[in-house]
Amino acid sequence: DKLNVTDRAKFHELLDTRSRVEIVVAFLAMLELVKRHIIHAQQESLFGEIQLQAEGPLDAEVAELDFSE
């Protein structure tokens, strides 16, 4: 939802939980969205913050994808 509203977000801001499994699942989902050219990810330095940006308007189908278990 945050990316849909602001078009920009930091990866850690999108996490509602700190469970290791859920973080890994969210990271893999992020990589899939990057692969599909739905979002763009940028990291300035090793272990630095991951900045996310929508590559275009997020349609309702993409915005409602659920990558949780």
Side-chain angles (χ1 to χ4, degrees), residues 13-66:
E13 294 173 345
L14 302 178
L15 302 174
D16 293 336
T17 183
R18 297 188 187 264
S19 160
R20 184 174 289 179
V21 170
E22 291 173 330
I23 291 170
V24 170
V25 169
F27 185 78
L28 292 173
M30 178 197 65
L31 291 177
E32 182 64 27
L33 293 174
V34 169
K35 182 176 106 177
R36 293 182 187 190
H37 302 284
I38 295 169
I39 65 171
H40 173 76
Q42 182 174 352
Q43 187 177 25
E44 295 289 326
S45 62
L46 187 64
F47 302 112
E49 187 65 57
I50 300 172
Q51 303 284 334
L52 305 172
Q53 182 174 1
E55 289 204 4
L58 298 176
D59 60 21
E61 181 179 319
V62 172
E64 294 180 10
L65 288 176
D66 184 12

